[in-house]
């Protein structure tokens, strides 16, 4: 049984990007993807002795992810104020209308490469916001700049990164 | 006058950080409904933001001790999810607890899958002096291969060499995040960096801006109040969102949080240089040697000690003195081929094994019911299918064969007729653990009828004895094997690496005793 758990854990980790990509699509609420992937892992490990590891495990994980995502989505949005719930549902409908293949791991690898190609000023901003865990208010106060300006600048860098990722995947850049 | 409406970008930031108020939600929903193109924009930004947070959420994993996490890291080296690792650790703990709680029952040892191990390390921890780490479960040892993630040093000094060649000395307390082989982020703390020309472009981000080195030596101090950069040699660029400073030898800049940047003359005071580190390391080594000497005398007097080699002595000596002070019948060991080297601290004696002929010959006479073997080794590479630690000659009944397998597991083999049993540990040596000093132990316990493997004082695996046999180590050797008359398919089993301590006891040591030996403490408190 323990070897089943070990094996299941290894397989899951190899597919974590696939699950996360689906979670972002089924439940596009900031922070919820982490909870979904974690819950899928817990349920996947709990029944590890039932799975056939010799076959493709992705269909199973996709089904589990969808069920968990819907369940957590309902739990999370149920306690939201009405307007926030309506906003969340609006965003979810938009996400459902998108037919995007799940290539999360490839995109993440491309993102690493693209980060290294950012101009220094943009990279510094991203470092402070994401790696330095500073809020836009902190960065704005430090620079004496309006919060709106910082938000816009970060959005532009994200746009650049998105474009870079798209180009990188189209070119089929090698990982690393 | 009414306040201006927040822009879409502001609303987006609040949405992504989960800080959107109800009024802002009304505004954002209105924008999305009236401008359909903004919906697509929001989704793109949401997805990219999630990926960035995923990257930023990666955490430090250094030579995890449990086999589940080690294997996991070989499957998807490009990503680490802290919660996944935590969950896997829980799964691994279930395995370990099951083994420990169930006691001496035969438990399956997961066999490595056969996939080639790999690493995503970007740097190496090369030296520490009095280092204390914020996360007790992630105590880093010298030689550890460091993967991207946080180094949280609460006290002491730690020297990190990036794979690019850049070298950083961190002074605790410091929070320092490794990002790649040529890049890091310093949240707080003080450091000095030496960056050779070929590592030019080495980058350290800070909350106040990013440093880009152009081949130099500099000091950096970061606190919540601001940051200071002092260039001792060469050139450093400090990129701020508001502009850029180019600093050359003898120049410094102080960047205050919310204040004006000030140019200063560089001042090395308070920054630890390499000579400083050498001096402090020497002081620490002297203290360590004194503590080790006290502990060693207590172990040497244990009535059950058969042999203990401390590998100390003149560099030209070709024998290892048995340090046991209890009248043990085991004599000295004879060094064949090996060269003298430094042990797990500078100046500690050790032997380097590497050539096919290198070995230490010894003889452990008599029959034993139980046996505890302990050693401290630095494995350079698992070159052979079997890499010898202590090997009785040939395969006579009762022969003891303690060795590291090429997949990183440790094996205790006991020869007998008609049976021969191998007691294997889980994988101990992964690529990240090569080059690090590791304390290994195995206890053959005839009283409780079980074999226990340990690494760094932690029990890894227990297995029931499969048959009774009197152990006869007899003529044996460290770091190699003489196969005798047996025509074996794998006769070359030499060890590649260093050994700086070896001990054998004729009784089963307890978990606590093994832990104490690994920590360099005496067998019991005075």
């Amino acid at each position: 049984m323990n070897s089943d758990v070990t094996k299941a854990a290894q397989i899951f980790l190899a597919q974590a990007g696939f699950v996360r990509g689906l979670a972002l699509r089924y439940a596009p609420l900031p922070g919820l993807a982490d909870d979904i992937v974690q819950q899928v892992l817990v349920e996947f490990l709990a029944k590890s002795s039932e799975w056939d590891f010799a076959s493709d495990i992705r269909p199973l994980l996709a089904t589990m992810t969808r069920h968990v995502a819907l369940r957590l989505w309902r739990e999370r949005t149920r306690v939201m104020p009405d307007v926030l719930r309506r906003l969340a549902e609006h965003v979810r409908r938009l996400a459902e209308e998108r037919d995007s293949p799940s290539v999360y791991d490839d995109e993440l690898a491309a993102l690493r490469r693209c980060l290294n190609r950012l101009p220094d000023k943009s990279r510094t901003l991203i470092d402070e916001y994401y790696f330095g865990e500073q809020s836009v208010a902190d960065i704005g106060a430090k620079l004496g700049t309006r919060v709106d300006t910082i938000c816009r600048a970060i959005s532009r860098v994200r746009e650049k990164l998105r474009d870079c990722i798209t180009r990188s995947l189209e070119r089929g850049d090698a990982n690393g | 006058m009414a306040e201006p409406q927040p822009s879409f970008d502001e609303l987006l930031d609040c949405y992504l950080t989960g800080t959107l108020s109800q009024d802002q939600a009304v505004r954002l929903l209105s924008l999305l409904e009236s401008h359909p193109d903004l919906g697509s924009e929001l989704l793109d930004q949401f997805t990219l933001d999630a990926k960035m947070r995923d990257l930023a959420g990666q955490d430090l994993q250094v030579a995890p001790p449990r086999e589940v996490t080690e294997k996991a890291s070989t499957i998807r080296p490009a990503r680490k999810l802290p919660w996944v690792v935590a969950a896997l650790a829980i799964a691994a703990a279930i395995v370990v607890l099951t083994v420990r709680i169930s006691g001496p029952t035969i438990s399956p040892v997961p066999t490595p899958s056969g996939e080639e191990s790999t690493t995503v390390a970007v740097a190496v921890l090369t030296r520490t002096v009095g280092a204390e780490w914020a996360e007790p479960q992630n105590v880093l040892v010298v030689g550890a291969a460091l993967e991207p993630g946080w180094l949280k040093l609460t006290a002491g000094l730690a020297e990190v060499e990036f794979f690019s060649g850049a070298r950083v000395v961190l002074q605790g307390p410091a929070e320092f995040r490794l990002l790649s082989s040529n890049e890091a982020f310093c949240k707080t703390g003080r450091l000095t960096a030496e960056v050779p020309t070929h590592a030019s472009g080495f980058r350290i981000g800070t909350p106040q801006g990013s440093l880009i080195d152009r081949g130099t030596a500099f000091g950096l101090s970061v606190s919540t109040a601001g940051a200071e950069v002092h260039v001792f040699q060469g050139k450093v660029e400090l990129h701020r969102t508001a502009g850029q400073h180019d600093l050359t030898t003898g120049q410094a800049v102080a960047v205050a949080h919310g204040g004006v940047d000030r140019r200063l003359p560089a001042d090395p005071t308070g920054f630890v240089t390499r000579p400083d580190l050498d001096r402090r390391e020497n002081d620490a080594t002297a203290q360590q040697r004194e503590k080790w000497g006290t502990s060693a005398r207590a172990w040497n007097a244990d009535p059950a000690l058969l042999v203990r080699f401390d590998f100390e002595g003149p560099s030209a000596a070709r024998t290892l003195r048995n340090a046991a002070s209890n009248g043990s019948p085991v004599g000295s060991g004879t060094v064949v081929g090996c060269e003298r080297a430094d042990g797990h601290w500078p100046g500690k004696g050790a032997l380097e094994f590497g050539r096919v002929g290198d070995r230490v010959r010894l003889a452990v006479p008599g029959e034993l019911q139980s046996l505890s073997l302990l050693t401290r080794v630095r494995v350079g590479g698992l070159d052979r299918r079997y890499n010898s630690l202590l090997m009785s000659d040939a395969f006579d009944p009762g022969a003891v064969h303690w060795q590291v397998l090429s997949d990183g597991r440790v094996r205790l083999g006991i020869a007998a007729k008609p049976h021969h049993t191998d007691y294997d540990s889980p994988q101990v040596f992964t690529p990240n653990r090569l080059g690090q000093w590791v304390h290994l132990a195995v206890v053959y316990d005839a009283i409780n009828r079980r074999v226990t493997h340990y690494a760094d004082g932690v029990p890894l695996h227990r297995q029931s004895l499969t048959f009774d046999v009197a152990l006869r180590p007899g003529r044996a050797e460290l770091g190699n094997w003489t196969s005798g008359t047996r025509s074996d398919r794998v006769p070359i089993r030499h060890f590649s690496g260093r050994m700086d301590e070896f001990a054998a006891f004729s009784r089963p040591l307890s978990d606590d005793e093994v832990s104490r030996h690994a920590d360099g403490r005496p067998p019991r408190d005075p």
Side-chain angles (χ1 to χ4, degrees), chain A residues 9-10 13-14 28 37 98 104-105 107 112 120-121 123 129-130 134 142 148 152 155 158-159 162, chain B residues 7 9 13 15 40-41 44-45 49 51 54 58 71-72 75 78-79 83-84 88 183 203 207 241:
Chain A
Q10 292 168 7
L13 194 64
V37 185
R98 261 194 189 180
Y104 188 86
D105 285 328
E107 290 172 349
R112 286 174 189 277
D120 288 330
K121 199 170 175 179
R123 180 58 199 264
Y129 185 71
Y130 285 107
Q134 295 184 69
K142 196 171 61 188
D148 178 42
R152 181 70 198 138
S155 291
R158 281 194 295 249
E159 283 171 23
R162 191 188 65 222
Chain B
S7 68
D9 290 307
D13 186 76
Y15 177 76
S40 178
E41 167 74 13
D44 287 340
Q45 294 273 350
D49 178 82
K51 292 184 187 115
D54 195 1
Q58 293 181 2
K71 285 183 201 164
I75 291 172
R79 271 163 44 71
W83 57 262
V84 167
L88 294 179
E183 188 173 15
R203 180 186 191 108
T241 318

Side-chain angles (χ1 to χ4, degrees), chain A residues 18 24 123 139 145 150 153 155 164 167:
Chain A
F18 170 73
L24 289 171
R123 180 58 199 264
I139 299 172
T145 307
I150 304 296
S155 291
C164 174
R167 286 196 306 274

Side-chain angles (χ1 to χ4, degrees), chain A residues 3 17 23 39 44-45 47 52 60-61 75 104 111 120 135 137 151 158:
Chain A
S3 59
Q39 185 61 29
F44 186 69
L45 293 185
K47 297 182 180 176
D52 174 14
L60 168 67
L61 286 173
E75 289 174 6
Y104 188 86
L111 175 58
D120 288 330
S135 69
C151 290
R158 281 194 295 249

Side-chain angles (χ1 to χ4, degrees), chain B residues 151-410:
Chain B
L151 296 178
K152 294 184 177 178
L153 184 67
T154 55
L157 305 174
E159 184 182 61
V160 175
E161 288 181 357
F162 287 77
F163 287 177
S164 63
R167 181 185 292 115
V168 167
V169 177
L170 287 174
Q171 300 172 234
E175 292 189 38
F176 188 74
R177 183 173 194 149
L178 307 174
L179 297 177
S180 73
S181 62
N182 207 31
E183 188 173 15
F185 185 90
C186 182
K187 188 174 182 183
T188 59
R190 186 180 282 261
L191 62 86
T192 51
E194 290 179 22
V195 184
T197 309
H198 54 262
S200 175
F202 178 67
R203 180 186 191 108
I204 299 183
T206 78
Q208 281 75 35
S210 296
L211 295 174
I212 299 178
D213 191 285
R214 297 304 179 197
T216 188
F218 66 89
L220 170 67
S221 170
V222 184
S223 69
T224 52
E228 286 188 20
V229 184
H230 296 256
V231 179
F232 307 133
Q233 187 180 3
K235 182 182 175 187
V236 170
E237 296 168 6
L238 172 60
H239 292 265
R240 302 256 288 148
T241 318
Q244 177 178 334
H245 292 283
D246 291 331
L247 304 171
T248 55
T249 304
Q251 296 182 328
V253 65
V255 178
H257 183 75
V260 179
D261 298 354
R262 286 184 301 122
R263 297 295 284 254
L264 308 163
D267 180 4
T269 308
F271 290 104
V272 173
T273 61
R274 295 198 75 209
D276 292 335
L277 187 61
D278 292 343
R279 183 175 45 76
R280 294 194 199 189
E281 186 179 39
N282 288 340
D283 292 346
T285 298
Q287 290 178 9
Q288 190 170 9
R289 175 173 285 279
E290 187 177 340
K291 176 188 161 197
W292 176 76
T294 304
S295 162
R297 282 191 288 277
W299 285 107
N300 292 344
D302 190 302
L305 179 64
L306 295 166
V307 57
R308 180 172 168 273
F309 296 140
D310 59 15
F311 292 75
E312 296 285 284
S315 59
R318 303 308 288 164
T319 57
L320 296 179
R321 182 181 65 89
N322 182 1
S325 58
N326 58 1
S328 165
V330 179
S332 299
T334 302
V335 179
V336 180
C338 308
E339 294 181 0
R340 292 276 178 174
D342 267 353
H344 71 286
W345 72 73
K348 165 82 183 74
L351 283 180
E352 177 92 47
F353 298 76
R355 293 166 298 199
V356 171
D358 291 349
R359 66 195 68 203
V360 174
R361 295 285 301 167
L362 71 157
V364 182
E367 284 189 1
L368 307 166
Q369 296 307 308
S370 293
L371 179 65
S372 299
L373 301 171
L374 306 95
T375 189
R376 194 181 305 273
V377 290
R378 193 181 79 176
V379 177
L382 298 173
D383 305 343
R384 316 303 309 182
R385 185 170 167 193
Y386 302 104
N387 303 268
S388 303
L389 295 171
L390 171 77
M391 301 285 283
S392 299
D393 291 352
F395 266 95
D396 296 332
V400 175
H401 294 151
W402 191 29
Q403 50 200 336
V404 184
L405 309 184
S406 59
D407 60 21
R409 290 177 292 158
V410 180

Side-chain angles (χ1 to χ4, degrees), chain A residues 2-3 5-18 20 24-25 27-31 33-34 37-39 41-42 45 58 73 81-84 86-88 90-96 98 103-109 111-112 115-116 118-139 141-143 146-159 161-162 165 175, chain B residues 4 6-13 15-18 20-26 28-29 32-33 36 38-56 58 67-69 71-73 75-81 83-85 87-88 91-92 94-95 98-99 108 110 113 115 148 150 177 179-180 183-185 187 203-210 212 214 237 239-244 256-259:
Chain A
N2 289 327
S3 59
V5 173
T6 303
K7 182 77 175 170
Q10 292 168 7
I11 287 173
F12 186 88
L13 194 64
Q15 301 292 343
F18 170 73
R20 178 173 287 268
L24 289 171
R25 184 175 166 197
L29 199 62
D34 279 343
V37 185
Q38 189 165 3
Q39 185 61 29
L41 170 63
V42 169
L45 293 185
R58 283 194 172 209
W73 177 269
D82 181 59
V83 64
L84 287 171
R86 282 194 291 128
L87 174 63
H90 183 90
V91 175
R92 189 167 72 125
R93 277 195 300 277
L94 293 174
E96 282 176 349
R98 261 194 189 180
V103 287
Y104 188 86
D105 285 328
D106 293 340
E107 290 172 349
L108 207 65
L111 175 58
R112 286 174 189 277
L115 276 174
N116 290 328
L118 280 179
D120 288 330
K121 199 170 175 179
S122 301
R123 180 58 199 264
T124 300
L125 184 63
I126 287 293
D127 279 353
E128 292 177 0
Y129 185 71
Y130 285 107
F131 295 107
E133 298 167 358
Q134 295 184 69
S135 69
V136 287
D138 291 340
I139 299 172
K142 196 171 61 188
L143 300 175
R146 284 163 45 92
V147 166
D148 178 42
T149 307
I150 304 296
C151 290
R152 181 70 198 138
I154 292 173
S155 291
R156 282 181 180 155
V157 178
R158 281 194 295 249
E159 283 171 23
L161 289 169
R162 191 188 65 222
I165 290 170
N175 286 345
Chain B
S7 68
F8 175 73
D9 290 307
E10 273 182 280
L11 295 170
L12 180 65
D13 186 76
Y15 177 76
L16 295 178
T17 54
L20 200 67
S21 69
Q22 291 193 48
D23 288 345
Q24 289 170 324
V26 170
L28 181 56
L29 187 56
L32 292 175
E33 287 172 343
L38 288 181
S40 178
E41 167 74 13
L42 183 141
L43 276 179
D44 287 340
Q45 294 273 350
F46 165 75
T47 309
L48 202 285
D49 178 82
K51 292 184 187 115
M52 278 305 305
R53 291 183 196 282
D54 195 1
L55 275 186
Q58 293 181 2
E67 51 92 17
V68 171
T69 46
K71 285 183 201 164
S73 69
I75 291 172
R76 182 63 65 184
R79 271 163 44 71
K80 286 288 192 321
L81 304 171
W83 57 262
V84 167
V85 173
L88 294 179
I94 293 169
V95 176
T98 304
V99 171
S113 62
E115 292 178 66
W150 284 105
R177 183 173 194 149
L179 297 177
S180 73
E183 188 173 15
F185 185 90
K187 188 174 182 183
R203 180 186 191 108
I204 299 183
T206 78
Q208 281 75 35
S210 296
I212 299 178
R214 297 304 179 197
E237 296 168 6
H239 292 265
R240 302 256 288 148
T241 318
Q244 177 178 334
H257 183 75

